[in-house]
Amino acid sequence: RNASPQYPAEARRRRMEGVVGVLIRINRSGTPDAVEVTSSSGSPMLDAAAIEALLQWRFAPVRDGSRALSAGYPLDIKFVLVNTE
């Protein structure tokens, strides 16, 4: 149910695409404490849009039996323009 990152209007206008590699640090309640870019898309606009969206996401926390744990989770966010013609 997590919303996809919004494509920045300026990046769309410039026809920028890319993949942002991130490491999301998820706390025991399933909310992100931090998002670190591990591999830039080459566009600060796309990198920032990925971070902004991911900080709003919610996750099921990692569990050790019934005990919730904090964890890091790697993820790639792809920004791809789709030709609708």
Side-chain angles (χ1 to χ4, degrees):
R1 299 182 218 254
N2 292 319
S4 297
Q6 290 201 351
Y7 219 114
E10 181 65 15
R12 184 179 297 279
R13 187 181 69 72
R14 292 183 183 182
R15 311 228 10 105
M16 299 170 119
E17 296 182 321
V19 177
V20 184
V22 297
L23 178 63
I24 308 167
R25 301 208 184 275
I26 303 164
N27 63 31
R28 295 185 321 207
S29 66
T31 58
D33 281 334
V35 177
E36 172 188 346
V37 174
T38 57
S39 176
S40 174
S41 66
S43 166
M45 286 184 277
L46 298 180
D47 294 354
I51 291 169
E52 183 179 334
L54 293 172
L55 285 171
Q56 304 304 312
W57 284 16
R58 298 298 171 256
F59 299 85
V62 173
R63 296 203 171 270
D64 180 12
S66 63
R67 186 170 159 238
L69 304 172
S70 297
Y73 182 73
L75 185 64
D76 288 336
I77 302 295
K78 297 176 183 172
F79 288 90
V80 178
L81 294 169
V82 178
N83 188 354
T84 57
E85 294 180 40

